[in-house]
Amino acid sequence: MAIVLELLSRKNIPLKHYKFEQDYVCVGRDFNNDLRLDDPYVCPSHMLVAIDPESGLLMINDCQSTNGIKINNKFVTQATLSPNDVIKIGRTHLRIIDTKAPLPKAMPLSELEENLTWLNKAFLTVCLSFLCISYLLLSEYINSVKEFTLVTVLPAQLGQLALISLWPLCFAVLAKVVKKESHIVNQINLTLLVTLLFYGLNLVQKVLIFNISPGAWFAFVEFLVFGVLLSAFIWLSLFIAFHQPIKRRNTIAFILSLVILAPLFTLSFLNNGEFDSSPNYDATLLAPAYNFTQSIETENFIDNSEALFARADKLTSK
């Protein structure tokens, strides 16, 4: 039976493992030990880990050390070790690994995971950030009815970009909590790409509204597209941050999407009645830059307006 000790960080994150094909392991700061630890709080001969010849269990003994031994945060001088026990000597954390315990099957490596390696580029982050800022400034310039000055507009747009960055930061922190790599660059690039996609769709929405004046069905299509993109974005964020079964990832992505979309759906659709005693006036003006259709003659506009009022009068008379 081999003795396997795993070196841990102070947050119990695995750093390195040591395998010994012998019945005992001497641990300390002295170079003659089987496992030497460069820790000033560890004695030259600190502890002995050995296999009990009768029971076959691992035993630990304190070699009269200065700072003692802790197993799972409890001081001991001699004890029987169980698999995955965490041993603390000085400021060093070690863990006993049960080599007989069966390991779970390997998770299948998907093609998608291999194809997303290009997201891990710091230069891509700079380029995407520049594109996002450029779009925000251009949009502000087109929609502005006041004098446009870069000095007054830029701080607000940078703040919006910083707010967008909170999403990848949250996933990076969650990955660290569960002792995984943060993949912060991948998360930021994914967020910026999806943000640019939403910006592009928002631009298409304005152009369509300005030029073809779609009906009530357009709001439903907008919500559907937004829901699909949001679900895909959450799924990919989970995919990058954690290694988990597909079923669990799908479930979490569905629940998170539902939590976000359900209130939006309720506010957008269920409160739309045929009559509202206090209707909201939408004072949004679209800039001429969104117009791709030919302008209408003044006479035709007046005729269309009169026809619209006549239709309204006819409906109210019913």
Side-chain angles (χ1 to χ4, degrees):
M1 175 181 175
I3 299 176
V4 180
L5 296 175
E6 191 173 46
L7 180 64
L8 307 174
S9 69
R10 293 181 186 177
K11 295 182 179 180
N12 293 337
I13 298 176
L15 300 176
K16 190 176 181 180
H17 77 275
Y18 304 89
K19 185 177 181 180
F20 303 94
E21 297 289 348
Q22 57 195 54
D23 294 337
Y24 64 91
V25 176
C26 298
V27 182
R29 193 158 36 89
D30 192 277
F31 284 95
N32 293 322
N33 288 286
D34 299 305
L35 176 58
R36 181 186 179 272
L37 299 175
D38 188 14
D39 184 341
Y41 301 98
V42 173
C43 293
S45 295
H46 199 108
M47 72 174 184
L48 176 68
V49 179
I51 301 174
D52 187 351
E54 296 181 0
S55 63
L57 299 175
L58 283 176
M59 305 292 296
I60 189 170
N61 290 278
D62 189 351
C63 301
Q64 298 181 347
S65 62
T66 302
N67 296 309
I69 301 172
K70 279 185 176 182
I71 297 180
N72 300 327
N73 292 324
K74 293 182 180 180
F75 279 105
V76 298
T77 56
Q78 184 178 23
T80 301
L81 293 173
S82 300
N84 298 319
D85 278 345
V86 176
I87 305 167
K88 183 180 179 184
I89 56 174
R91 302 187 72 175
T92 303
H93 292 208
L94 298 168
R95 178 159 52 201
I96 297 295
I97 301 298
D98 185 7
T99 57
K100 295 182 179 180
L103 296 176
K105 293 182 178 180
M107 295 175 60
L109 183 63
S110 65
E111 290 287 338
L112 179 61
E113 189 164 3
E114 293 295 318
N115 294 331
L116 285 179
T117 54
W118 59 273
L119 281 175
N120 191 22
K121 306 285 185 183
F123 179 72
L124 181 62
T125 306
V126 175
C127 294
L128 293 176
S129 301
F130 176 76
L131 289 175
C132 286
I133 289 294
S134 300
Y135 174 86
L136 291 172
L137 291 175
L138 180 62
S139 179
E140 186 70 22
Y141 173 75
I142 292 176
N143 296 316
S144 178
V145 294
K146 300 179 181 179
E147 183 181 0
F148 179 85
T149 55
L150 185 62
V151 177
T152 57
V153 174
L154 186 58
Q157 310 308 325
L158 290 176
Q160 185 173 339
L161 190 63
L163 190 63
I164 292 172
S165 301
L166 290 178
W167 177 272
L169 288 177
C170 289
F171 272 90
V173 170
L174 286 174
K176 280 296 184 182
V177 168
V178 297
K179 304 174 184 178
K180 301 295 182 182
E181 293 184 57
S182 62
H183 298 291
I184 183 65
V185 176
N186 302 59
Q187 291 285 2
I188 291 176
N189 286 336
L190 174 65
T191 304
L192 292 176
L193 278 172
V194 174
T195 301
L196 284 172
L197 182 58
F198 275 113
Y199 286 161
L201 291 175
N202 184 50
L203 179 62
V204 172
Q205 174 207 32
K206 290 180 179 179
V207 171
L208 290 177
I209 290 176
F210 201 123
N211 292 275
I212 66 174
S213 300
W217 59 269
F218 189 71
F220 180 78
V221 172
E222 280 184 300
F223 188 83
L224 183 62
V225 172
F226 175 76
V228 171
L229 288 179
L230 179 64
S231 300
F233 175 51
I234 294 175
W235 193 94
L236 286 172
S237 297
L238 292 169
F239 181 83
I240 293 174
F242 310 109
H243 299 293
Q244 55 191 176
I246 295 178
K247 184 177 180 181
R248 182 185 302 174
R249 187 185 303 120
N250 292 342
T251 302
I252 296 175
F254 174 77
I255 293 174
L256 286 177
S257 302
L258 193 63
V259 168
I260 297 174
L261 293 174
L264 296 177
F265 178 81
T266 303
L267 293 175
S268 301
F269 292 96
L270 299 186
N271 291 332
N272 288 342
E274 294 183 0
F275 175 77
D276 190 350
S277 59
S278 301
N280 294 323
Y281 174 67
D282 186 2
T284 303
L285 294 175
L286 292 177
Y290 298 117
N291 183 28
F292 290 93
T293 57
Q294 295 181 352
S295 58
I296 188 173
E297 298 292 337
T298 305
E299 293 78 6
N300 293 337
F301 177 79
I302 295 175
D303 293 338
N304 292 340
S305 301
E306 291 177 350
L308 182 61
F309 282 114
R311 184 182 176 189
D313 292 338
K314 185 177 180 180
L315 291 174
T316 54
S317 63
K318 293 181 179 181

